[in-house]
Amino acid sequence: MSNEKKRSWAEPYKIKMVEPVKMTTPEERQKAIREAGYNTFLLRSEDVYIDLLTDSGTSAMSDRQWAGMMLGDEAYAGSRNFYHLEDAVREYYGYKHIVPTHQGRAAEHIISQLMIEEGDFVPGNMYFTTTKLHQELAGGTFVDVIIDEAHDPESEHPFKADIDLSKLENLIKEKGADKIPYVSIATTVNMAGGQPISLGNLKEVRKLTQKYNIPIVHDMTRVAENAYFIKQREPGYENKSIKEIVKEICSLTDSATMSSKKDALVNIGGFLALNDDELFDKARNMVVIYEGLHTYGGMAGRDMEALAIGISESVDYDHIRARVGQVQYLGEKLLEMGIPIVKPIGSHGIFLNAKKILPQLSQDQLPAQSLSAALYLDSGVRAMERGVVSAGRNPDTGEHNYPKLELVRLTIPRRVYTQAHMDVVAESVEAVYNNAKEIKGLKFVYEPEYLRFFQSRFEVL
Ligand code: P71
């Protein structure tokens, strides 16, 4: 055992195809970020050296998945790939029915429209941007019932995505169970820093919601990563497989929305999974309006095949250990350098604490947006703002929402970058950190109505 610790260890794959990336000069980067209105979403990807904007749709597919792409059955109705996908969802996740969608937010749209009524409240373990917006568009109000530790970047709580049961029960008592169409549970919680929920907590939530007859809708976008943390940290699960843990999580929920672009290792796709026959019928009816027939829902047959294979690969222990391990490697390196990041290190990325790195900027001066622009300028590394810009405005008052967390996310695509890339990223973050006093704030010069972080433009203050 002690010998095993000292031995080096590498990714459980080798590289068969490469995609060159462009190195840019500081002058080129200055021009590119200015033209992008200091918004990393508006950069052209060819001007990016290491792209850590997101882990969404950016995975490298395996040779098995590429082989599956050649087996696409592009029939309009009843494609065999749909049935493979349905089998995979039943086998690995245990849900009874599946409605394919083009990506996660489309599944959120359908379930929100079907279950939420004007004036409803939807409690959840922290918000996600698209999830919350669809709840609001359906007439609901999102209520955060995550434990307080989740909002504290210094807290080392091992399960920061846990629900605060008294917050949840108080809400049910205050509003009435009939005003709560479902509880929204994400595995893992993206905006908290890729933090997991424990099975112990989920079981308690299940008990409480059953008492009031409230269903649970599971955002299972990164469920395998959550399962890996449960195996690592939760007593009683150390000898269970990732597949078993994933299935147990799903068994405690009623429906699920999935963005397959993350855990499930494909570049596009998603689905809604349901156990309730009546709800499935309604969802199947609605998908034909917005996405496509219920046996493709906006996905090509080949993409459904790649997804069915990706689901099986996502629960492989060696895969998930390497994936989360690479994120931990970068995080530990940054911690050694003294950089303030969200702790514990999450599963899909490192979240830099922009409030701490740029104490000279107020939240109105958009510290996380400024920091992500500065990082791109230093090295061509692209990160994503996850602070006041992402939090948007309060629909009633029109004021900015001011989240406690003002973060820059360095998100690691799956099976794409090497350890050397991680070293380059860490050195760039260190250089920016050492020069942080010089970084100026930003102000909005253009702000769209919905999901403003995608398309807003800024100027240096
Ligand atoms: C991520 C994304 C993609 C994204 C979406 C919105 C703003 C910025 C980036 C997407 C998620 C997600 C969770 C937990 C639902 C979706 C939507 N994440 N739930 O992290 O993380 O899925 O993108 O397939 O529509 O970069 P979709």
Side-chain angles (χ1 to χ4, degrees):
M1 277 309 277
S2 60
N3 196 27
E4 195 184 325
K5 277 218 162 105
K6 282 189 223 124
R7 301 291 294 265
S8 287
W9 158 94
E11 291 80 359
Y13 52 80
K14 54 187 177 176
I15 296 165
K16 193 176 324 223
M17 190 189 283
V18 295
E19 177 184 345
V21 288
K22 190 167 96 183
M23 319 269 292
T24 47
T25 63
E27 292 72 33
E28 286 169 332
R29 293 195 290 276
Q30 185 63 254
K31 182 166 177 283
I33 196 78
R34 203 181 314 114
E35 283 177 5
Y38 297 88
N39 183 348
T40 53
F41 277 107
L42 299 178
L43 286 166
R44 288 169 184 248
S45 100
E46 61 181 12
D47 293 331
V48 173
Y49 173 34
I50 300 175
D51 201 348
L52 306 187
L53 183 70
T54 177
D55 64 330
S56 180
T58 52
S59 297
M61 291 206 294
S62 68
D63 50 1
R64 280 178 65 227
Q65 286 178 291
W66 278 108
M69 295 288 278
M70 296 305 291
L71 301 175
D73 168 6
E74 306 305 341
Y76 189 87
S79 160
R80 75 169 160 255
N81 312 116
F82 167 75
Y83 297 104
H84 293 166
L85 175 58
E86 188 179 56
D87 287 346
V89 169
R90 287 182 179 149
E91 176 182 349
Y92 290 94
Y93 304 137
Y95 296 110
K96 193 168 162 196
H97 303 295
I98 168 193
V99 178
T101 57
H102 79 280
Q103 60 184 82
R105 68 197 71 180
E108 292 170 348
H109 171 220
I110 294 173
I111 197 89
S112 302
Q113 291 294 330
L114 288 179
M115 293 186 74
I116 300 172
E117 281 174 17
E118 193 66 42
D120 279 352
F121 296 86
V122 188
N125 53 352
M126 206 177 262
Y127 81 103
F128 186 71
T129 51
T130 57
T131 322
K132 176 166 168 269
L133 177 60
H134 280 298
Q135 292 165 357
E136 289 168 355
L137 290 172
T141 302
F142 166 79
V143 184
D144 190 1
V145 293
I146 204 166
I147 56 171
D148 287 340
E149 285 87 341
H151 292 281
D152 173 7
E154 303 293 325
S155 162
E156 301 256 13
H157 194 291
F159 292 104
K160 280 172 121 172
D162 279 359
I163 294 269
D164 183 324
L165 295 161
S166 55
K167 280 188 201 170
L168 177 58
E169 187 152 27
N170 288 342
L171 182 81
I172 300 171
K173 285 188 179 150
E174 192 191 318
K175 308 292 181 192
D178 59 327
K179 286 276 170 231
I180 299 180
Y182 59 86
V183 177
S184 174
I185 303 254
T187 55
T188 57
V189 169
N190 192 349
M191 302 300 273
Q195 305 293 332
I197 181 170
S198 63
L199 263 165
N201 182 256
L202 185 53
K203 284 179 195 161
E204 291 298 320
V205 175
R206 187 61 162 174
K207 235 191 266 164
L208 181 65
T209 50
Q210 275 176 339
K211 185 168 127 192
Y212 293 97
N213 208 12
I214 298 172
I216 296 177
V217 176
H218 175 201
D219 180 344
M220 60 178 303
T221 297
R222 296 182 181 83
V223 67
E225 292 174 7
N226 197 117
Y228 179 75
F229 282 136
I230 287 175
K231 187 173 167 73
Q232 298 291 303
R233 299 176 187 168
E234 191 160 352
Y237 287 93
E238 47 282 85
N239 296 321
K240 292 246 194 265
S241 67
I242 300 297
K243 185 178 172 183
E244 286 167 324
I245 299 172
V246 164
K247 212 150 175 191
E248 186 169 345
I249 295 171
C250 295
S251 76
L252 293 163
T253 68
D254 301 283
S255 310
T257 56
M258 174 64 150
S259 169
S260 323
K261 302 171 70 173
K262 285 80 166 172
D263 245 16
L265 296 162
V266 289
N267 304 119
I268 192 71
F271 58 79
L272 176 62
L274 310 129
N275 289 334
D276 186 274
D277 297 337
E278 213 176 298
L279 199 58
F280 169 59
D281 227 39
K282 288 186 186 155
R284 198 165 45 162
N285 206 245
M286 196 165 163
V287 78
V288 298
I289 313 173
Y290 294 103
E291 300 287 305
L293 196 72
H294 61 278
T295 54
Y296 77 88
M299 295 181 77
R302 52 181 169 268
D303 290 329
M304 291 191 282
E305 190 65 28
L307 171 54
I309 298 167
I311 288 171
S312 70
E313 292 179 356
S314 74
V315 299
D316 176 72
Y317 179 72
D318 289 337
H319 157 70
I320 200 77
R321 172 177 178 230
R323 188 283 183 281
V324 180
Q326 187 176 47
V327 177
Q328 306 294 307
Y329 173 84
L330 175 61
E332 274 155 26
K333 213 162 170 120
L334 292 171
L335 284 174
E336 275 165 29
M337 290 168 166
I339 315 282
I341 64 172
V342 173
K343 289 184 276 186
I345 300 162
S347 69
H348 68 300
I350 304 301
F351 292 69
L352 305 174
N353 186 345
K355 264 192 195 168
K356 271 237 167 120
I357 296 173
L358 302 178
Q360 72 270 28
L361 302 186
S362 72
Q363 230 172 339
D364 281 320
Q365 295 170 317
L366 318 178
Q369 194 72 41
S370 309
L371 186 60
S372 60
L375 189 64
Y376 173 75
L377 273 171
D378 179 72
S379 60
V381 169
R382 169 154 72 171
M384 188 190 288
E385 194 265 6
R386 297 277 79 171
V388 65
V389 179
S390 294
R393 291 181 186 272
N394 179 316
D396 297 328
T397 65
E399 294 295 311
H400 289 308
N401 292 318
Y402 291 101
K404 284 201 191 123
L405 301 178
E406 185 70 27
L407 308 174
V408 168
R409 188 182 72 174
L410 302 166
T411 342
I412 317 299
R414 296 166 186 78
R415 310 192 288 208
V416 170
Y417 291 115
T418 66
Q419 191 159 312
H421 287 112
M422 297 301 112
D423 293 341
V424 168
V425 171
E427 287 164 23
S428 176
V429 172
E430 189 179 38
V432 171
Y433 181 61
N434 290 338
N435 196 35
K437 280 200 200 77
E438 307 302 320
I439 297 173
K440 304 228 166 21
L442 293 168
K443 64 166 191 223
F444 279 94
V445 291
Y446 166 70
E447 184 184 342
E449 190 177 350
Y450 296 116
L451 302 173
R452 63 181 182 173
F453 48 89
F454 283 132
Q455 289 151 347
S456 285
R457 301 183 71 84
F458 307 91
E459 264 172 18
V460 179
L461 282 170

